[in-house]
Amino acid sequence: MNNDNDNKDIIDEIDKALEDREKKRTYKLGYFLHNNFSIHILLTVIVNLFSFGIVMGFSKEFFEIADISSIQGFFLVVVMYSLFETTIKMLTISLFYKVVIHTLGIIFLVINMVLFWIISLIVHDFTFFNNPLNIFTFTILFMIVRTLFTVYVRKTKWIQGGA
């Protein structure tokens, strides 16, 4: 009976080590913004709000690639995108880690483009003017702006819990 408890303890330790390794891997890939998942979700929504707002502002001012006609639509798009993205990227990293590495993360560009397209079909206040090139351009700009914010968030000690 004691042997069964020892085996269970060893299995629990191995499971914990694998879980920690997976968490570190996704953090190192730049996916997690914080070790605490709740804070990660909050930071993701905030970063996406700023990034989406900046890209939409550029779109309104310089070249129209997308349009959003209400503030409710704006927040709905950002929250939906953040939740869909978090779920899909966690699954992608967990199940297809090697694909992510082999494609150098380009698969995330495709995922983001599909997510924006689907959300533009769901939210009637948000449109890309029926032009696939607009979705591509918007996604590239969004990912560039968001990368700048995520690098800042990951490097800032007061956000990460340091002194």
Side-chain angles (χ1 to χ4, degrees):
M1 187 180 269
N2 192 17
N3 194 17
D4 287 340
N5 285 340
D6 289 342
N7 287 340
K8 186 179 181 303
D9 291 342
I10 290 171
I11 291 171
D12 288 344
E13 285 181 37
I14 291 171
D15 285 344
K16 175 130 175 62
L18 288 173
E19 184 179 303
D20 289 345
R21 192 174 89 197
E22 185 68 25
K23 214 177 205 185
K24 286 178 185 173
R25 178 190 299 170
T26 55
Y27 186 78
K28 286 180 183 176
L29 275 176
Y31 177 64
F32 279 120
L33 296 176
H34 197 277
N35 284 329
N36 182 329
F37 189 70
S38 300
I39 296 173
H40 162 72
I41 294 294
L42 177 65
L43 290 172
T44 298
V45 170
I46 291 169
V47 165
N48 286 343
L49 274 170
F50 284 122
S51 302
F52 194 82
I54 289 170
V55 174
M56 287 305 297
F58 282 134
S59 175
K60 290 276 190 191
E61 193 65 33
F62 299 111
F63 48 92
E64 290 211 64
I65 55 175
D67 185 47
I68 195 148
S69 58
S70 72
I71 193 75
Q72 294 90 352
F74 176 84
F75 285 109
L76 182 62
V77 167
V78 171
V79 170
M80 284 178 65
Y81 172 78
S82 298
L83 295 177
F84 288 165
E85 178 202 29
T86 300
T87 304
I88 291 171
K89 284 191 177 179
M90 282 178 58
L91 289 171
T92 304
I93 290 171
S94 297
L95 300 174
F96 305 109
Y97 176 74
K98 289 187 179 187
V99 173
V100 173
I101 297 300
H102 289 302
T103 62
L104 301 174
I106 298 297
I107 192 161
F108 291 137
L109 172 66
V110 174
I111 289 170
N112 286 340
M113 286 174 40
V114 169
L115 284 176
F116 281 126
W117 175 68
I118 290 171
I119 291 171
S120 74
L121 295 175
I122 295 170
V123 179
H124 298 290
D125 293 342
F126 179 54
T127 183
F128 288 107
F129 306 115
N130 297 322
N131 186 347
L133 186 59
N134 286 352
I135 298 171
F136 177 76
T137 306
F138 183 88
T139 304
I140 292 288
L141 291 172
F142 178 81
M143 290 178 74
I144 290 169
V145 172
R146 189 177 63 182
T147 298
L148 296 173
F149 280 114
T150 57
V151 166
Y152 174 76
V153 167
R154 292 186 77 220
K155 298 286 183 189
T156 306
K157 290 190 186 315
W158 65 271
I159 293 174
Q160 297 301 324

